[in-house]
Amino acid sequence: MLMVPKIAAQIIRNTLIWLGIPMILVAFGDQVMAPLLPTSEPLQFRWVGNGLMLLAFIWGLRSHLLLLQFSDPEGMWRLKPRRLIRMGYYARNRHPQWWSLQIWILGALLTAGLPTFVVFLLLVISLSVGSLYLLRIEEPLLARQFGDQYRDYREHTPFWGIKPRDPAAKEPTWVYQIAWILGHVLFRWNYRITADGLEHIPLEQSFIIVARHASYLDPFLFGIFIPFPVHFVTTADAYTHPVKQWFMDQLYTFPIRRHVQDLAALRNIIKLTAAGKTVGIFPEGERSMDGSPGEIVPETVRVLQRCKVPILPVEIDGAFEIWPRWSNVRRKGKVHVRFKPVIPVSETANGEKFTQRIRATIFPNEVTYHPVRTKRMAKGVEKLLWGCIHCGATDTIREVGADRVACEACGRVFTLLRNYHLQDRDGEQIALNEWMQRLRHLITPLQDPTGPILPEGEVIYLQAILEQYRGPQNEVGQYRGAELILSDRAFTIRQDGREAVRWLYPQITVCTVDTKDEFSLGISGKRHIFRLAAPEHPLKWNNYFKHLTSRTN
């Protein structure tokens, strides 16, 4: 059942309850009870009543959001929780929604200015009827549904009063709850998100979610179906500004540095799972550039093995199409989420088989593109297409229209169709990922390298001017205007005709594309950032490096 109509139905239901019951009680007290009871002075505490109503509204809203978000509810007009909530307000009291309604009713009675005795009697009636219903009808039903789990909860959580201190009483942040609501109301409607395999989501929180990473929106696309707060691992580049850092913290994400062995982040993953939390990891380590599956990082597999908790694989179909990495324009399309059967701890011991199991469950057998709708289909695609497969020229593809690109070398014009196929004027089509695969044939030694000869037998593949270099100590200006060389053995910076620094491939742990004109190297546990002068493509250097290192290995 879609969550949007469920939320709408709950809004209507709660509006009727929270407005209807106080109105009925006020009318009954004023028209029926007041004339029959001894005369008493009306309470002049309207401002107190308004304050109580505001407090009750906030308390009731957050309690209801907890129930709607984390109990995996069924039903439209009456929620039937499939999971027992023992967090937030529900860790302090068994029925926080009901108590917030009673405070709301008291506030409404005080605001109405009814006589003191009438207010007292109406409050007693409301408390008595509600308590009898909860204790005699609803709680036995919950005990029958959840068994010993609910009986233990009832024994340790009060009905009357509030449990003072409990580690589980920590509330999900407002930012997290608003993001969850927006995920259902906006993303799920806009991208027509559907899901299957929800029965595979574990009942207990202590597990790790692994999914392929194709879009910035991936955590929202499947996170809205998880009835627990998910602590996502994200790149430390998202924590560069205090406001962004606060926002990411509110969403329960935590950073990991990709270019070093971030032991603090790895320990945090183990600590969270040991504490019974749910963690979300993208084992590729970065978003796909063309929708094709990437390589699973071996260190990620070792961390998953170390945590010794069940693994929930998730396959997301359509995420790349709605927001590809190379574009800042989102598109309208369909997204389907598949929750696969849980991988038990017993099947994670063998690293190679475990890696193959992850690949088989989160990656599709074949890359296919779903059609999308947008007015700017080709926006940013030149960041991806670093070469022309027809003439073999590199760094020559330019955007020439809302859905067209052209090669400046051979003059060919290509239309990027809504299904991510490039079509030339003759009507010949080629899928985006197939274009990128064909570019591998362009990875050949440089024909006319300039400057002094490298060590004997070493072959130069790329050569370009550095516009900027930032080293581990964030030094800027060093090697500005120097020459960056990629050979079949190393990266070399040459300045004033002399070799300034040289990094052999065994020293380099990772190469990542950061922006449209920057890429980074992880070298001996430290990050080095290179900005290239136009029209050089960072993705071209990344692809050359991966090709050469895979051939060397």
Side-chain angles (χ1 to χ4, degrees):
M1 182 183 299
L2 289 178
M3 186 60 70
V4 172
K6 185 182 295 185
I7 293 175
Q10 288 298 308
I11 292 174
I12 297 173
R13 168 186 176 272
N14 287 334
T15 301
L16 293 175
I17 292 175
W18 282 60
L19 293 182
I21 293 178
M23 290 175 64
I24 292 172
L25 290 175
V26 169
F28 180 74
D30 186 45
Q31 301 297 324
V32 179
M33 296 181 65
L36 299 177
L37 296 172
T39 304
S40 60
E41 290 294 328
L43 293 173
Q44 302 296 328
F45 294 111
R46 294 180 184 273
W47 62 274
V48 176
N50 293 333
L52 289 175
M53 293 180 73
L54 178 61
L55 176 64
F57 176 78
I58 297 174
W59 188 10
L61 178 62
R62 299 209 68 181
S63 299
H64 193 75
L65 284 177
L66 284 173
L67 182 64
L68 196 62
Q69 185 175 2
F70 299 121
S71 68
D72 195 12
E74 291 180 322
M76 290 281 285
W77 298 98
R78 181 179 181 276
L79 291 181
K80 301 174 184 178
R82 288 186 286 193
R83 287 181 173 87
L84 182 64
I85 304 179
R86 304 187 69 166
M87 64 184 299
Y89 296 136
Y90 290 90
R92 295 174 178 264
N93 183 275
R94 299 206 295 272
H95 301 283
Q97 279 196 93
W98 180 76
W99 278 108
S100 63
L101 178 60
Q102 300 309 306
I103 296 175
W104 172 272
I105 291 172
L106 175 60
L109 296 176
L110 293 176
T111 302
L114 295 176
T116 306
F117 197 52
V118 173
V119 171
F120 175 75
L121 286 180
L122 289 174
L123 192 61
V124 170
I125 292 172
S126 177
L127 287 170
S128 301
V129 173
S131 300
L132 286 173
Y133 168 77
L134 293 175
L135 294 172
R136 298 297 182 184
I137 298 177
E138 185 163 306
E139 288 202 352
L141 291 175
L142 292 172
R144 200 174 304 139
Q145 179 182 357
F146 295 107
D148 293 337
Q149 187 182 8
Y150 187 79
R151 282 186 280 272
D152 177 73
Y153 171 67
R154 185 168 55 187
E155 181 180 346
H156 293 90
T157 310
F159 178 88
W160 302 96
I162 297 177
K163 195 174 181 180
R165 293 183 180 179
D166 192 306
K170 185 178 180 181
E171 283 287 302
T173 65
W174 274 105
V175 174
Y176 188 88
Q177 291 189 316
I178 291 173
W180 179 81
I181 294 173
L182 292 177
H184 278 287
V185 176
L186 295 182
F187 295 151
R188 192 167 183 182
W189 171 78
N190 196 42
Y191 302 123
R192 292 176 285 177
I193 305 174
T194 56
D196 58 42
L198 297 176
E199 67 277 4
H200 298 309
I201 301 176
L203 294 174
E204 300 298 330
Q205 289 195 52
S206 186
F207 62 94
I208 295 177
I209 304 170
V210 292
R212 62 180 300 205
H213 202 11
S215 168
Y216 260 135
L217 299 177
D218 288 338
F220 295 97
L221 300 180
F222 69 86
I224 58 177
F225 298 101
I226 305 296
F228 311 114
V230 182
H231 299 257
F232 282 102
V233 183
T234 188
T235 172
D237 294 339
Y239 286 73
T240 54
H241 192 275
V243 175
K244 291 174 66 176
Q245 180 177 348
W246 176 86
F247 183 76
M248 300 299 284
D249 289 341
Q250 296 299 300
L251 291 175
Y252 296 113
T253 66
F254 60 95
I256 187 169
R257 293 175 292 171
R258 293 183 296 174
H259 302 82
V260 302
Q261 190 175 13
D262 196 340
L263 297 179
L266 302 181
R267 284 195 293 265
N268 197 22
I269 297 173
I270 299 173
K271 180 180 177 181
L272 286 169
T273 53
K277 305 297 182 181
T278 301
V279 176
I281 295 178
F282 300 103
E284 297 161 281
E286 62 179 344
R287 287 169 291 147
S288 171
M289 292 296 295
D290 61 1
S292 300
E295 293 297 325
I296 294 178
V297 180
E299 288 78 6
T300 302
V301 176
R302 288 195 284 270
V303 171
L304 297 177
Q305 292 175 305
R306 181 75 179 272
C307 290
K308 297 187 183 302
V309 295
I311 308 297
L312 176 64
V314 179
E315 181 183 350
I316 311 173
D317 190 19
F320 171 80
E321 290 89 320
I322 63 174
W323 197 359
R325 180 177 175 179
W326 39 262
S327 179
N328 58 6
V329 177
R330 295 192 299 272
R331 299 106 197 275
K332 288 189 175 182
K334 292 182 179 180
V335 175
H336 185 69
V337 180
R338 299 182 183 89
F339 292 92
K340 302 298 184 69
V342 168
I343 303 176
V345 178
S346 59
E347 296 183 17
T348 64
N350 188 305
E352 184 177 349
K353 291 183 178 179
F354 182 37
T355 303
Q356 293 174 355
R357 177 77 180 273
I358 293 176
R359 291 190 63 87
T361 50
I362 69 174
F363 295 147
N365 296 327
E366 182 180 359
V367 177
T368 57
Y369 298 109
H370 301 289
V372 295
R373 290 178 294 144
T374 181
K375 295 181 179 179
R376 305 172 68 186
M377 191 68 194
K379 180 64 176 177
V381 74
E382 61 183 34
K383 302 174 189 175
L384 174 72
L385 306 178
W386 54 264
C388 177
I389 61 174
H390 289 277
C391 68
T394 62
D395 308 309
T396 58
I397 301 294
R398 298 291 179 266
E399 181 183 346
V400 295
D403 60 353
R404 292 183 303 156
V405 294
C407 175
E408 294 180 339
C410 64
R412 284 177 176 264
V413 178
F414 306 92
T415 300
L416 183 59
L417 304 178
R418 293 183 177 181
N419 63 351
Y420 288 92
H421 281 63
L422 288 158
Q423 178 178 281
D424 60 18
R425 290 179 177 175
D426 298 329
E428 182 182 352
Q429 296 184 16
I430 178 173
L432 205 58
N433 64 317
E434 187 178 344
W435 180 294
M436 298 305 297
Q437 290 172 7
R438 291 191 188 181
L439 288 182
R440 296 175 184 173
H441 300 298
L442 303 183
I443 302 178
T444 55
L446 200 62
Q447 296 298 322
D448 299 307
T450 60
I453 301 175
L454 293 177
E456 183 179 358
E458 192 166 340
V459 180
I460 297 178
Y461 277 77
L462 289 176
Q463 197 171 13
I465 300 299
L466 267 178
E467 189 172 284
Q468 189 181 87
Y469 164 82
R470 295 199 302 275
Q473 306 302 323
N474 203 30
E475 57 267 32
V476 179
Q478 189 180 16
Y479 307 132
R480 185 179 181 88
E483 198 172 27
L484 181 65
I485 299 172
L486 174 67
S487 70
D488 58 346
R489 298 181 188 176
F491 271 92
T492 304
I493 293 180
R494 192 168 61 192
Q495 193 170 35
D496 299 329
R498 299 179 179 180
E499 180 181 299
V501 64
R502 176 179 172 85
W503 299 289
L504 296 174
Y505 286 163
Q507 297 175 266
I508 303 173
T509 56
V510 64
C511 176
T512 61
V513 177
D514 300 335
T515 65
K516 65 179 182 180
D517 51 12
E518 288 185 352
F519 72 92
S520 297
L521 295 178
I523 302 173
S524 301
K526 296 180 180 180
R527 184 180 187 181
H528 300 255
I529 304 173
F530 304 86
R531 176 178 293 180
L532 303 172
E536 287 291 328
H537 274 67
L539 182 61
K540 179 181 71 174
W541 287 72
N542 175 276
N543 288 172
Y544 267 71
F545 170 77
K546 289 184 177 180
H547 175 79
L548 293 172
T549 51
S550 63
R551 190 183 66 176
T552 303
N553 292 337

